[in-house]
């Protein structure tokens, strides 16, 4: 890293009760995470999104100057595990809000861990 | 995802007091995370490691069938933030052990969060 102090906020969000159709499209999920980074005021440096195949989930990450946003999805369980870890002035809560709005989960378990 | 149930163990490890020379080499850090995945019995599907430049840190991730290992380093602060998130039978604690041994930190703050 460099520009930012290592102090950061790490939000861990477990989304249950998500429609399977929202969890299997790697292209749509990458677009969602990029929109979430933008909402947070964070800057992507690389992204990789791996689809496990038709009807299956996606595992992906957006690496940021400020750390990362990751997602792992299980359409067959209506579940997604999202991490938003950001240092500096970026707003990880705004990223989680954007992802929450798009996934429209039945329930969300959100935890925040201070890092650094 | 698919093969694995969404239930997982997520270990968050903050390493302080690490020699700067261990935190700036993206190639060495990728090799370390791949060795850690191997120690855990996990299977990488993709990796990306971004160096911020000479004397600066590295941000990187190894995407796994079982979720991910990420690292963000600040050589100038002797600090690295590592996440090991694994589902299925993989052993995230073994990955953290391998990374701890290589970083030889002055202190480690380790937290475990159940996911899924």
């Amino acid at each position: 890293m460099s520009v930012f102090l290592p102090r950061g906020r790490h939000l861990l969000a477990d989304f249950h009760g998500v429609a399977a159709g929202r969890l299997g499209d790697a292209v749509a999920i990458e677009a969602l995470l990029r929109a979430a980074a933008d909402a947070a005021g964070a800057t992507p440096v690389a992204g990789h999104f791996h689809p496990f195949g038709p009807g299956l989930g996606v595992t992906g990450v957006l690496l940021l100057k400020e750390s990362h946003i990751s997602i792992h999805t299980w359409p067959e369980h209506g579940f997604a595990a999202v991490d938003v870890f950001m240092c500096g002035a970026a707003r990880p809560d705004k990223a989680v809000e954007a992802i929450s709005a798009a996934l429209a989960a039945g329930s969300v378990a959100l935890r925040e861990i201070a890092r650094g």
Side-chain angles (χ1 to χ4, degrees), chain A residues 11-102:
Chain A
L11 303 185
L12 300 88
D14 286 356
F15 295 93
H16 291 272
V18 180
R22 299 179 193 269
L23 297 177
D25 180 341
V27 173
I29 286 176
E30 175 165 5
L32 172 57
L33 265 56
R34 289 187 181 274
D38 192 56
T43 305
V45 297
H48 191 91
F49 293 79
H50 177 85
F52 284 96
L56 301 177
V58 172
T59 196
V61 69
L62 200 57
L63 290 174
L64 308 169
K65 275 195 183 170
E66 298 82 1
S67 289
H68 73 260
I69 306 177
S70 66
I71 187 165
H72 309 290
T73 75
W74 285 259
E76 68 275 37
H77 296 285
F79 177 71
V82 171
D83 284 77
V84 180
F85 178 9
M86 293 183 183
C87 303
R91 291 281 304 272
D93 51 306
K94 296 290 184 190
V96 170
E97 276 178 28
I99 294 166
S100 293

